[in-house]
Amino acid sequence: MDHDADRPRGVLSPADRAFLRGETEMTHDQSRRNAEARIRKRVVNAIQDFTLLVHALKPKDRAGIFDTVDDPAFVDGVLSMLSFTYLGLKESGMDFERVLVPAVRRAEEVHAADTLGSTAEVAVDFDVRAEYGTSVADTADRIRSDTPVTPEELFAVAMADDPVIGEVETIPVRLPHGTEADDGVLERLATYLDADVTHRPPNRVELNL
């Protein structure tokens, strides 16, 4: 989700964002490869910069950054940052717990020392149970046949960049448990797909692309 595509440069420049959104026409494969390599290098260097931020950025400046926790774009960014890290480590064969546990432990110890003036004994429990369901291909076929899908299934299709998204005008979505609650997934999907949402009570919506 890109709440403000024209915001000032961060890790990515406005040109990088346009490239990732598919808005930049590349006339040569080498130009595309150069853009991809540039983005990879910037992300690697940005991640390494966090070592300096943790040790050298003043607490008041850190607090100033996280004053924006009421901003949906900021919260989505934090969520996506953690998801990006989890997925990248999983794909590389490293357990997320290997970095999460010492990171949380260190942060709690620093918080105890700096804020509370004490020491801390920290226990971190992290447990993930994943059950994999419908394939992206099967979900795409159901979308083509105008059969309702769940927000999670649609999310998988959108993340896979399946061509079905460009083939249909509406996508029927079935919300869980007969309610209109979906933990914000549907709202983020609608923004990501630039779609309008039409509610079909009691537990259906349509995304109009």
Side-chain angles (χ1 to χ4, degrees):
M1 184 187 302
D2 198 349
H3 291 264
D4 183 3
D6 297 323
R7 68 187 185 280
R9 177 173 175 167
V11 175
L12 301 177
S13 68
D16 293 333
R17 295 174 195 140
F19 169 73
L20 291 175
R21 290 193 302 268
E23 298 172 357
T24 303
E25 183 176 349
M26 294 291 182
T27 56
H28 301 288
D29 286 343
Q30 186 61 48
S31 298
R32 175 180 53 79
R33 289 193 292 270
N34 289 343
E36 293 169 343
R38 181 180 67 247
I39 290 171
R40 289 197 301 270
K41 185 177 295 185
R42 285 180 180 167
V43 172
V44 168
N45 280 305
I47 291 172
Q48 292 175 347
D49 280 342
F50 275 97
T51 300
L52 181 61
L53 290 172
V54 165
H55 290 96
L57 190 69
K58 294 179 180 179
K60 66 179 182 64
D61 293 321
R62 183 174 62 242
I65 293 170
F66 286 89
D67 274 347
T68 55
V69 291
D70 291 332
D71 180 1
F74 182 83
V75 174
D76 282 336
V78 172
L79 187 154
S80 297
M81 178 179 66
L82 294 173
S83 296
F84 181 82
T85 303
Y86 180 93
L87 184 59
L89 291 176
K90 183 180 180 70
E91 291 172 340
S92 68
M94 180 184 289
D95 192 337
F96 188 59
E97 186 174 8
R98 179 177 168 184
V99 296
L100 176 69
V101 170
V104 172
R105 181 181 296 120
R106 185 183 308 168
E108 287 289 352
E109 290 170 349
V110 170
H111 173 72
D114 291 351
T115 305
L116 305 176
S118 69
T119 60
E121 292 290 334
V122 183
V124 182
D125 296 316
F126 178 70
D127 185 28
V128 176
R129 293 180 295 275
E131 297 181 4
Y132 299 101
T134 310
S135 70
V136 168
D138 288 343
T139 301
D141 287 341
R142 288 164 57 202
I143 291 174
R144 290 188 181 94
S145 65
D146 203 34
T147 302
V149 298
T150 67
E152 292 75 17
E153 289 171 336
L154 179 55
F155 176 82
V157 169
M159 292 302 98
D161 199 23
D162 191 280
V164 70
I165 299 298
E167 297 172 7
V168 298
E169 295 183 356
T170 63
I171 299 177
V173 179
R174 180 182 70 256
L175 298 180
H177 310 305
T179 72
E180 295 189 0
D182 68 341
D183 297 328
V185 174
L186 188 62
E187 180 182 355
R188 293 193 292 272
L189 278 171
T191 302
Y192 180 80
L193 297 173
D194 193 23
D196 295 323
V197 178
T198 301
H199 288 269
R200 306 291 188 193
N203 66 330
R204 292 270 299 277
V205 300
E206 285 182 355
L207 293 186
N208 304 296
L209 305 176

